[in-house]
Amino acid sequence: MDDRVAATLREDPTMAALIDRHGPLDVAPADDEFARLCTSIVNQQLSTASAAAIHERFVDALGGDPTPDRVLAADEAALREAGLSATKVEYLRNVADAFRDGERDLTREGLADLSDAAVVDRLTEIRGVGEWTARMYLIFALGREDVLPLGDLAVRKGIERIYNDGEELSRAEMREIGEAWRPYRSYGTRYVWTEYES
């Protein structure tokens, strides 16, 4: 995390305390965008602990890190045994098809000129990639620095706990809190997650 990011986030005293507690956190693009998107699909609607276990079994079932070819060639029964629902297996295959499609370039280079909103539109054309998954892709696969994924339950709960003693806040109120972190809301989001999970 560079000085500009830290200086911006520290203008919010609550965030400054989180930075002191958790040290520097980074928002860096993933080495492999496809593998990262698979992780987000596996993680949909799961707790952190069960997601990690299922992801490990998923990689074992593929016989290595996820690639479009491995996902498409994988035995459906083996993927189901790894703990994936039939729906998630279908979503993973849809994503693999999209990455193999010569018409669509979903890599960082291919999406570099698109705004965050346009990337979300492009990704959500794939059945199985919703708004939440697309925003995780922006942060974790593309390393985009100004994403506030309020569709994420842990982000909402975290903001309520950190900023409002656990009392409910509207999304508009949460967006207002996140305004202070612009243009580095992805970093603010990482601190909220880290605090929420600690």
Side-chain angles (χ1 to χ4, degrees):
M1 181 167 83
D2 69 27
D3 296 346
R4 283 168 315 145
V5 177
T8 301
L9 294 181
R10 281 184 180 282
E11 288 175 21
D12 170 352
T14 306
M15 188 55 69
L18 295 184
I19 295 171
D20 291 337
R21 186 171 315 150
H22 299 293
L25 295 178
D26 259 332
V27 173
D31 295 333
D32 182 327
E33 298 94 332
F34 175 73
R36 184 54 239 191
L37 186 52
C38 288
T39 300
S40 290
I41 289 175
V42 170
N43 292 358
Q44 284 171 1
Q45 293 163 329
L46 290 176
S47 71
T48 309
S50 44
I54 291 174
H55 187 268
E56 200 171 307
R57 295 199 297 267
F58 164 62
V59 172
D60 286 345
L62 293 180
D65 289 333
T67 63
D69 290 347
R70 277 183 182 151
V71 168
L72 292 169
D75 177 58
E76 178 154 0
L79 294 176
R80 294 295 307 278
E81 274 166 33
L84 294 167
S85 64
T87 311
K88 281 193 184 174
V89 172
E90 181 204 334
Y91 291 172
L92 288 161
R93 295 202 158 142
N94 293 345
V95 164
D97 280 330
F99 266 79
R100 284 218 322 206
D101 174 355
E103 300 297 299
R104 304 194 234 202
D105 184 353
L106 299 173
T107 64
R108 201 159 53 252
E109 292 73 29
L111 298 171
D113 296 336
L114 296 183
S115 69
D116 292 350
V119 172
V120 170
D121 289 345
R122 178 82 49 94
L123 287 166
T124 51
E125 288 168 2
I126 306 167
R127 190 174 135 69
V129 178
E131 192 96 3
W132 177 83
T133 305
R135 291 193 193 290
M136 295 303 110
Y137 193 77
L138 284 171
I139 297 173
F140 292 109
L142 304 182
R144 298 278 178 108
E145 294 187 321
D146 195 33
V147 182
L148 181 64
L150 292 180
D152 187 82
L153 183 64
V155 171
R156 294 199 306 276
K157 292 275 183 224
I159 290 174
E160 287 171 348
R161 185 190 293 170
I162 296 161
Y163 286 87
N164 205 37
D165 292 329
E167 297 298 310
E168 209 167 294
L169 289 167
S170 70
R171 292 203 184 195
E173 289 168 318
M174 292 182 196
R175 267 193 287 278
E176 192 59 43
I177 288 166
E179 278 304 302
W181 316 333
R182 265 186 198 278
Y184 303 115
R185 289 179 298 172
S186 302
Y187 288 88
T189 297
R190 286 223 48 203
Y191 280 99
V192 169
W193 269 320
T194 303
E195 177 69 11
Y196 181 70
E197 288 180 354
S198 65

